[in-house]
């Protein structure tokens, strides 16, 4: 019995020794001072040196100069007996002088007294993986599993998380002895904030909806240190298909741990990994036919294990990828390479084509001849398609970024430029290279640099998401120009501020035009002032003539009347000047600007010219309506001589010309109203539309007038910012006046408003108060 057991162990040891020698990972034995004593073929191929050349060198001589100090402190701890092994990532230099990234694991072999004898180094070439990580973040999540990764922890647990068995890697990882772990659950060992991670996946595992899943979460060691681990949990079923226990594979992804277990434990670990790994693993013979396949590989192809065994790899490989696959297979057979890694298309049993990431290695015997091939297959079809969509999306957004009519820049939170488009370069005169590591604010005129300091602090602290401001900048040519700046905050997936988007628009011409408009307005106001002064002088002369003719006993009354007349004239003059400035002057100026560019625009873009002509028509109609409204103010008697529906139409046209907002006007019915009712309704309509223009910030206004034999209903509704009815504001004076006008004619005024949802004002007047007005 013992001889049979010894033979099995020797045979298993020979297989693993052969796999060690033919491993794709470089291995070396080192003296305690770092001299290379023995190397395998993978290390020779990786370095480019011959075995004789490497045996004349120290390990540090092959390390990239900038990385020579990486792991020095842990190496000393290794020699002092404070640790048995450690792992680092650093660069080595090939014989050709080419640096390449590796994952180096160094462990110490001690004698029975615990004194170090020599060192065992394992070097994995991760150069392509490092470069792939820089090109694509998704490659970080690509699963890499190898049979000889002794730092991977394996544990058997019950369905409720109690640990039945744990290997030495788990014990070292956690700091607990195996007997201590038997008294604990995975839930207790997990970092409190991560205990609910993957619970939905775990529930699916228990229900049989999945065979395994993988997550990353934090654990707490016995000494209370927190470390991250990648956990792969797989279900093991009994002969009747019932869920029996769980296999958990834990990998310390903060510091990869490699610990060589005994020969029997290694054999059990790799057998368990093969059967329960979430990654497809297959063994291929020298005739390119499958010898064995694990359940994950069968699931990937949709083919049972019995069907896969004996199947030629050509049958499941996409025809277009077969020539390359055969060539790589021949290179493995002839010893030109020991392994390869690539993405390739395969065909499932149902005919579906999918992309998979393949890692194929050759296992050789003691004579150096290949015995069989081991392949790991991971379905990356979704990642492939997602990467392609991401590339297309990036190209689309890059085209938009490069061709936008406004300047766009991407900046760090301290306002350092990352990138900006050609329009930005045109506006400021500087190239992106010239402004590298330069705060764009330094281009602003000194008086304007700090006007947004408080806003910017609130932006980078996440208090606000954006702000818009205007300030002057100095072009590279030293020309000063006005620009409108829009800063927006971009947050990461956790909602924290990540970077800034800045948009710059050259508004220098607009500013100059505004100055010209202001000058014209000043001229208009001066002319109006002269005319009002002339009229005032005439009135004062007339008053003086009248004062001479009236009796002395009315002198006091006439003086008061004269004073009231003067105040009325001043108020009327101010109001007319304001109305002319706010409405007619601006509208006519806008119309004049549109008329000036219309001939040129007609030659460049007829459709845009037609739009501008329509806009010019609307402006002139609005100006005409405003003038008619002002004439009504000069002749109040006209308010009672014109139909209310015509007055409302005129008000709306004037509002459109002044605000450039659309009005949906609805008028139903017709009747004559008492003069006081008509005047009150007109004044309330006028006040309502003025409030919309001044405060609402609306994009749409609805005006309705319903007339019936029994009464009248008038309504103005907007979709603006609204206001709080319970808060007294300075603007509430207008509301009180409207209520007073409604009460004076025996009407009801209803005001409804909600912050962010607009405002509605409704006036209802009944000729017979006891009869309810009905509007169809």
């Amino acid at each position: 019995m013992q001889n049979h057991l010894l033979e099995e162990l020797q045979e298993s040891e020979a297989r693993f020794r052969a796999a060690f020698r033919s491993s794709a990972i470089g291995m070396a034995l080192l003296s305690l001072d770092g001299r290379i004593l023995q190397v395998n073929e993978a290390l020779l191929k990786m370095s480019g040196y011959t075995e004789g050349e490497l045996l004349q060198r120290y390990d540090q001589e092959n390390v990239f100069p900038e990385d020579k100090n990486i792991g020095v402190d842990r190496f000393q701890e290794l020699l002092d007996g404070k640790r048995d092994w450690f792992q680092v990532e650093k660069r080595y230099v090939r014989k050709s002088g080419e640096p390449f990234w590796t994952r180096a694991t160094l462990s110490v072999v001690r004698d029975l007294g615990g004194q170090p004898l020599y060192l065992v180094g394992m070097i994995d070439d991760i150069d392509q993986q490092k470069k792939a990580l820089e090109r694509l973040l998704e490659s970080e999540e690509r699963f890499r599993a190898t049979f000889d990764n002794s730092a991977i922890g394996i544990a058997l647990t019950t369905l409720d998380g109690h640990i039945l068995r744990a290997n030495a890697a788990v014990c070292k990882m956690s700091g607990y002895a195996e007997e201590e772990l038997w008294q604990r659950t995975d839930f207790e060992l997990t970092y409190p904030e991560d205990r609910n991670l993957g619970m939905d996946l775990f529930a699916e595992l228990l229900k049989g909806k999945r065979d395994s899943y993988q997550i990353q979460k934090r654990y707490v060691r016995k000494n209370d240190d927190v470390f991250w681990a990648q956990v792969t949990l797989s279900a093991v079923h009994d002969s009747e298909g019932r869920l029996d226990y769980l296999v958990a594979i834990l990998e310390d992804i903060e510091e990869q741990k490699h610990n060589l277990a005994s020969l029997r434990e290694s054999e059990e670990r790799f057998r368990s990994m093969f059967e329960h790994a979430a990654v497809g693993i297959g063994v291929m013979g020298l005739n390119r036919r499958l010898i064995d396949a694990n359940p994950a590989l069968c699931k990937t192809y949709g083919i049972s294990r019995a069907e896969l065994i004996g199947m030629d790899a050509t049958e499941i490989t996409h025809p277009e990828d077969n020539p390359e696959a055969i060539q790589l297979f021949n290179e493995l057979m002839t010893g030109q390479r020991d392994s390869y890694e690539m993405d390739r298309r395969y065909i499932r049993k149902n005919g579906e084509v999918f992309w998979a990431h393949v890692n194929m290695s050759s296992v050789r015997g003691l004579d150096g001849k290949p015995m069989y091939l081991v392949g790991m297959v991971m379905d990356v079809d979704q990642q492939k398609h997602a990467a392609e969509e991401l590339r297309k999306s990036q190209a689309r957004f890059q085209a938009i970024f490069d061709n936008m009519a406004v300047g766009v820049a991407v900046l760090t939170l301290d306002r350092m430029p990352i990138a900006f488009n050609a329009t930005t370069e045109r506006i400021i005169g500087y190239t992106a290279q010239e402004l590298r590591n330069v705060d764009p604010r330094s281009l602003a005129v000194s008086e304007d640099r700090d006007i947004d300091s408080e806003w910017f602090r609130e932006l980078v602290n996440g208090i606000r998401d954006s702000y818009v401001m205007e300030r002057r900048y100095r072009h590279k040519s030293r020309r000063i120009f006005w620009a409108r700046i829009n800063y927006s905050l971009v947050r990461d997936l956790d909602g924290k501020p990540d970077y800034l988007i800045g948009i710059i628009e050259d508004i220098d011409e607009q500013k100059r035009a505004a100055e010209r408009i202001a000058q014209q307005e000043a001229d208009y106001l001066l002319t109006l002032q002269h005319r009002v002064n002339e009229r005032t002088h005439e009135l004062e002369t007339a008053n003086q003539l009248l004062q001479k003719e009236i009796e002395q006993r009315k002198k006091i009354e006439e003086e008061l009347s004269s004073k009231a007349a003067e105040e009325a004239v001043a108020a009327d003059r101010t109001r007319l000047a304001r109305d002319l400035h706010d409405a007619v002057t601006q509208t006519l100026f806008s119309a004049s600007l549109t008329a000036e560019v219309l001939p040129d625009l007609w030659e460049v873009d007829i459709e845009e010219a037609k739009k501008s002509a329509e806009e010019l028509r609307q402006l002139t109609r609005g100006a005409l309506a405003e003038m008619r409204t002002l004439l009504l103010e000069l002749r109040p008697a006209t308010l009672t001589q014109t139909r209310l529906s015509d007055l409302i139409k005129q008000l709306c046209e004037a509002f459109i010309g002044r605000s450039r907002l659309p009005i949906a006007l609805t008028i139903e019915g017709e009747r004559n109203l008492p003069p006081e009712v008509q005047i009150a309704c007109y004044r309330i309509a006028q006040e309502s539309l003025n409030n919309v223009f001044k405060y609402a910030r609306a994009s749409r206004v609805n005006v309705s007038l319903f007339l019936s034999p029994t009464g009248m209903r008038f309504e103005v509704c907007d979709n603006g910012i609204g206001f709080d009815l319970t808060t007294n504001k300075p603007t509430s004076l207008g509301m009180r006046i409207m209520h007073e006008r409604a009460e004076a004619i025996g009407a009801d005024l209803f005001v409804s408003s909600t912050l962010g949802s607009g405002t509605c004002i409704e006036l209802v007047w009944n000729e017979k108060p006891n009869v309810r007005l009905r509007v169809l």
Side-chain angles (χ1 to χ4, degrees):
M1 181 69 176
Q2 294 179 351
N3 290 336
H4 179 69
L5 180 60
L6 181 60
E7 290 176 358
E8 288 184 351
L9 290 176
Q10 290 175 344
E11 181 181 351
S12 177
E13 183 179 6
R15 286 198 301 270
F16 282 108
R17 185 181 297 112
F20 176 84
R21 291 181 176 179
S22 61
S23 172
I25 297 177
M27 301 182 66
L29 297 181
L30 308 170
S31 64
L32 297 181
D33 60 354
R35 177 176 290 278
I36 301 173
L37 303 176
Q38 185 176 352
V39 296
N40 68 347
E41 289 295 327
L43 188 58
L44 295 176
K45 186 172 183 179
M46 191 183 306
S47 65
Y49 291 99
T50 65
E51 184 174 7
E53 289 173 327
L54 281 181
L55 296 181
Q56 301 300 319
R57 300 173 67 85
Y58 286 88
D59 177 69
Q60 281 293 88
E61 296 180 60
N62 298 324
V63 178
F64 190 68
E66 295 180 5
D67 296 353
K68 288 184 181 294
N69 292 327
I70 294 179
V72 171
D73 53 344
R74 281 178 277 186
F75 177 74
Q76 188 60 46
E77 293 177 359
L78 195 71
L79 296 180
D80 295 342
K82 296 180 180 180
R83 60 166 68 226
D84 293 330
W85 67 279
F86 71 89
Q87 183 181 89
V88 295
E89 291 185 0
K90 61 182 179 179
R91 288 167 289 183
Y92 278 82
V93 182
R94 305 188 203 275
K95 183 179 180 180
S96 62
E98 175 193 0
F100 66 102
W101 277 99
T102 68
R103 182 184 294 112
T105 304
L106 195 65
S107 57
V108 64
V109 178
R110 304 180 186 276
D111 59 17
L112 296 178
Q115 295 299 316
L117 294 175
Y118 56 90
L119 305 172
V120 176
M122 301 178 67
I123 299 179
D124 191 2
D125 186 344
I126 61 171
D127 196 57
Q128 291 185 355
Q129 301 171 20
K130 275 283 187 179
K131 292 176 181 178
L133 285 174
E134 295 173 359
R135 292 192 301 266
L136 192 63
L137 289 176
E138 285 77 3
S139 62
E140 292 181 2
E141 300 174 358
R142 209 174 270 176
F143 179 77
R144 293 170 291 147
T146 59
F147 288 116
D148 56 353
N149 189 356
S150 61
I152 293 179
I154 303 175
L156 303 181
T157 70
T158 62
L159 302 184
D160 59 358
H162 283 85
I163 299 175
L164 299 175
R165 187 176 178 186
N167 69 348
V170 174
C171 296
K172 285 190 175 183
M173 200 180 300
S174 65
Y176 291 98
E178 186 176 12
E179 293 77 7
E180 294 176 305
L181 289 174
W182 293 342
Q183 308 300 321
R184 293 178 174 272
T185 65
D186 178 78
F187 184 81
E188 294 173 335
L189 297 173
T190 302
Y191 189 65
E193 294 182 5
D194 294 354
R195 286 175 177 171
N196 291 325
L197 286 177
M199 294 304 293
D200 52 343
L201 300 174
F202 182 72
E204 293 180 2
L205 193 72
L206 296 181
K207 294 178 181 179
K209 294 182 178 179
R210 58 170 62 239
D211 294 328
S212 64
Y213 69 89
Q214 185 180 86
I215 61 171
Q216 291 183 357
K217 64 178 181 178
R218 288 167 292 182
Y219 283 89
V220 182
R221 293 191 174 96
K222 185 177 180 179
N223 63 1
D224 293 330
D225 286 345
V226 178
F227 69 99
W228 276 96
Q230 182 167 277
V231 184
T232 303
L233 201 62
S234 305
V236 179
H237 298 80
D238 59 19
S239 57
E240 297 180 1
R242 292 176 299 188
L243 187 59
D244 192 6
Y245 60 92
L246 304 175
V247 175
I249 299 177
L250 290 84
E251 182 179 3
D252 188 335
I253 57 176
E254 289 185 322
E255 182 182 358
Q256 299 290 342
K257 299 181 183 291
H258 288 277
N259 182 35
L260 297 177
S262 65
L263 194 58
R264 184 187 298 275
E265 290 173 344
S266 296
E267 185 180 15
E268 291 178 357
R269 180 177 71 248
F270 286 110
R271 185 184 299 112
S272 177
M273 286 177 60
F274 181 81
E275 293 295 334
H276 303 293
V279 175
I281 305 173
V283 181
M284 182 187 295
L286 302 184
N287 58 356
R288 209 163 176 250
R289 293 185 178 275
L290 291 175
I291 300 173
D292 202 356
N294 72 343
L297 188 66
C298 298
K299 184 177 180 180
T300 299
Y301 290 118
I303 304 174
S304 67
R305 182 173 179 271
E307 292 174 307
L308 276 176
I309 294 178
M311 182 178 291
D312 193 309
T314 305
E315 301 178 47
I316 54 177
T317 306
H318 193 275
E320 295 180 5
D321 295 346
N322 247 323
E324 183 181 20
I326 294 173
Q327 179 183 346
L328 292 172
F329 174 80
N330 293 332
E331 292 178 2
L332 289 174
M333 293 296 97
T334 57
Q336 298 179 49
R337 61 169 69 233
D338 294 324
S339 64
Y340 69 83
E341 185 176 353
M342 67 177 302
D343 291 341
R344 181 185 296 155
R345 289 169 292 181
Y346 287 94
I347 304 174
R348 292 193 172 95
K349 185 176 181 179
N350 61 4
E352 177 186 353
V353 177
F354 69 99
W355 280 94
H357 183 73
V358 183
N359 190 322
M360 191 72 71
S361 302
S362 173
V363 179
R364 302 181 182 276
L366 296 177
D367 56 0
K369 296 181 179 179
M371 300 170 57
Y372 52 86
L373 303 180
V374 177
M376 296 186 181
V377 180
M378 182 169 62
D379 188 341
V380 295
D381 197 61
Q382 291 185 353
Q383 294 94 312
K384 275 282 187 180
H385 292 300
E388 179 62 19
E389 290 300 319
L390 181 61
R391 185 191 65 78
K392 293 179 181 179
S393 177
Q394 182 182 7
R396 288 194 298 269
F397 281 108
Q398 186 66 42
I400 294 173
F401 178 81
D402 293 338
N403 296 285
M404 287 189 70
V406 296
V408 182
V410 182
L411 307 99
T412 63
L413 294 180
D414 54 358
R415 224 181 320 215
M416 292 294 107
I418 299 174
F420 53 78
N421 63 357
T423 305
T424 304
E425 294 183 352
R426 179 179 57 78
I427 292 175
I428 62 179
Y430 293 92
T431 65
Q433 186 64 31
E434 291 174 317
L435 288 186
R436 186 178 298 277
N437 299 323
V438 175
D439 188 338
R441 186 174 49 174
S442 63
L443 302 180
V445 175
S446 57
E447 295 89 341
D448 296 355
R449 286 176 186 170
D450 296 325
I451 60 178
D452 66 332
S453 298
E454 183 62 28
W455 293 345
F456 188 79
R457 281 194 295 270
E458 294 177 357
L459 189 70
V460 297
N461 292 329
I463 300 175
R464 63 166 63 229
D465 292 328
S466 64
Y467 68 86
V468 180
M469 46 87 65
E470 295 179 358
R471 65 177 162 205
R472 292 167 294 174
Y473 283 86
R474 193 179 299 278
H475 191 271
K476 185 178 180 180
S477 63
R478 313 310 296 170
R479 172 178 61 86
I480 295 176
F481 66 97
W482 277 95
R484 180 181 295 113
I485 307 298
N486 186 322
Y487 276 116
S488 301
L489 177 67
V490 179
R491 302 174 184 271
D492 59 19
L493 295 178
D494 296 327
K496 298 178 180 178
D498 194 5
Y499 60 92
L500 302 174
I501 298 294
I503 297 176
I504 181 171
E505 297 179 73
D506 187 341
I507 61 170
D508 200 59
E509 291 187 4
Q510 300 176 27
K511 278 287 187 179
R512 305 304 179 200
E515 292 174 359
R516 291 195 298 271
I517 292 174
Q519 183 60 44
Q520 289 181 6
E521 290 177 350
D523 294 341
Y524 287 143
L525 289 175
L526 183 60
T527 301
L528 183 61
Q529 182 69 33
H530 288 324
R531 292 179 180 177
V532 172
N533 288 338
E534 290 175 358
R535 181 58 179 162
T536 303
H537 179 69
E538 293 176 359
L539 292 174
E540 289 176 348
T541 303
N543 286 335
Q544 290 175 0
L545 294 175
L546 291 174
Q547 286 173 358
K548 293 178 181 180
E549 296 176 358
I550 62 175
E551 298 178 357
Q552 186 64 31
R553 59 186 179 85
K554 295 181 179 179
K555 183 177 181 180
I556 297 176
E557 293 180 4
E558 290 299 328
E559 288 177 352
L560 293 176
S561 176
S562 176
K563 185 177 180 180
E566 291 175 0
E567 292 177 351
V569 169
D572 191 62
R573 178 179 59 192
T574 301
R575 184 177 61 79
L576 289 175
R578 183 179 65 250
D579 290 345
L580 283 171
H581 170 267
D582 291 344
V584 179
T585 301
Q586 292 186 0
T587 302
L588 290 178
F589 181 73
S590 299
S592 66
L593 290 180
T594 303
E596 287 177 5
V597 302
L598 189 57
D600 295 335
L601 186 61
W602 197 273
E603 295 179 358
V604 175
D605 189 342
I606 294 178
E607 291 301 322
E608 189 64 28
K610 289 180 179 179
K611 294 180 181 178
S612 297
E614 176 60 23
E615 183 179 359
L616 180 61
R617 187 180 69 85
Q618 292 292 339
L619 287 172
T620 54
R621 287 187 60 186
L624 180 60
E626 285 287 351
M627 289 301 298
R628 288 174 177 171
T629 302
L630 292 176
L631 289 175
L632 287 176
E633 297 298 318
L634 295 174
R635 294 185 296 170
T638 309
L639 293 178
T640 60
Q641 298 170 359
T642 306
R643 293 185 302 177
L644 181 60
S645 57
D646 293 335
L647 293 175
I648 298 300
K649 288 179 182 177
Q650 185 169 302
L651 271 180
C652 292
E653 289 179 358
F655 177 87
I656 293 172
R658 185 191 329 145
S659 65
R660 311 292 290 279
L661 291 177
I663 289 184
L665 176 61
T666 302
I667 297 178
E668 293 183 13
E670 186 61 67
R671 66 159 291 168
N672 293 326
L673 295 172
E676 65 277 9
V677 174
Q678 180 154 317
I679 292 174
C681 181
Y682 175 83
R683 294 303 184 190
I684 290 174
Q686 190 178 45
E687 182 67 21
S688 300
L689 291 176
N690 284 339
N691 287 341
V692 172
F693 176 74
K694 292 179 180 179
Y695 311 114
R697 303 181 195 173
S699 62
R700 187 181 68 255
V701 182
N702 295 326
V703 176
S704 303
L705 175 65
F706 300 97
L707 299 169
S708 71
T710 60
M712 173 275 299
R713 183 169 72 88
F714 174 78
E715 185 181 74
V716 176
C717 292
D718 65 76
N719 65 343
I721 60 174
F723 62 96
D724 188 355
L725 291 171
T726 62
T727 303
N728 289 325
K729 297 183 177 181
T731 56
S732 62
L733 176 61
M735 286 294 177
R736 289 201 299 269
I737 292 175
M738 285 194 288
H739 278 288
E740 291 172 359
R741 291 186 184 276
E743 291 175 0
I745 62 172
D748 295 321
L749 184 69
F750 304 98
V751 180
S752 59
S753 182
T754 305
L755 286 175
S757 298
T759 302
C760 278
I761 295 177
E762 181 183 18
L763 177 68
V764 178
W765 174 78
N766 290 328
E767 189 170 12
K768 298 179 180 180
N770 295 328
V771 178
R772 183 177 179 83
L773 178 62
R774 181 180 181 187
V775 179
L776 299 178

